[in-house]
Amino acid sequence: MIKAFQIISILEGISLLLILFVTMPLKYGFDNPEPNQIIGMAHGLLFLTYVVMAILVKSELSWNFKILLIVLVCSIIPFGTFWMDKRYLKGKA
């Protein structure tokens, strides 16, 4: 479960960065919303999966509520999931 969460967290982080730095500039700068719709849907699914998996992994790694909250907040901060992976998941899988 932890290894799967690591993969989802990295994919979620990449999808957030793609939205912020690729598809949003395409949408608003070049009037091309299609990439944003596709990546946005993938990001939404990855985000929901990330949240559910974080809650499931909480008990496996004996996280308290504060750590779970930090892990969840990391999903909305650019580069946050990469930091979270290094801080809370490396060496655990």
Side-chain angles (χ1 to χ4, degrees), residues 17-32:
L17 294 176
L18 283 173
I19 286 174
L20 293 175
F21 298 115
V22 177
T23 66
M24 292 300 255
L26 285 173
K27 180 177 180 179
Y28 294 108
F30 299 99
D31 197 28
N32 185 5

Side-chain angles (χ1 to χ4, degrees), residues 6 10-11 20 22-23 28 32-33 36 49 59 65 78 83 90:
Q6 282 182 305
I10 297 302
L11 292 174
L20 293 175
V22 177
T23 66
Y28 294 108
N32 185 5
N36 198 25
T49 304
S59 63
F65 183 75
W83 176 83
K90 286 293 184 206

Side-chain angles (χ1 to χ4, degrees), residues 11-84:
L11 292 174
E12 198 278 334
I14 291 170
S15 71
L16 178 60
L17 294 176
L18 283 173
I19 286 174
L20 293 175
F21 298 115
V22 177
T23 66
M24 292 300 255
L26 285 173
K27 180 177 180 179
Y28 294 108
F30 299 99
D31 197 28
N32 185 5
E34 288 82 20
N36 198 25
Q37 293 170 346
I38 296 166
I39 300 297
M41 176 63 76
H43 172 69
L45 293 172
L46 287 166
F47 175 76
L48 292 174
T49 304
Y50 177 93
V51 170
V52 169
M53 290 189 79
I55 293 168
L56 294 174
V57 167
K58 174 189 180 287
S59 63
E60 194 171 330
L61 292 176
S62 301
W63 288 343
N64 58 30
F65 183 75
K66 179 184 174 185
I67 293 174
L68 176 63
L69 191 60
I70 291 168
V71 168
L72 292 174
V73 168
C74 283
S75 68
I76 60 171
I77 298 171
F79 302 100
T81 57
F82 305 115
W83 176 83
M84 181 281 305

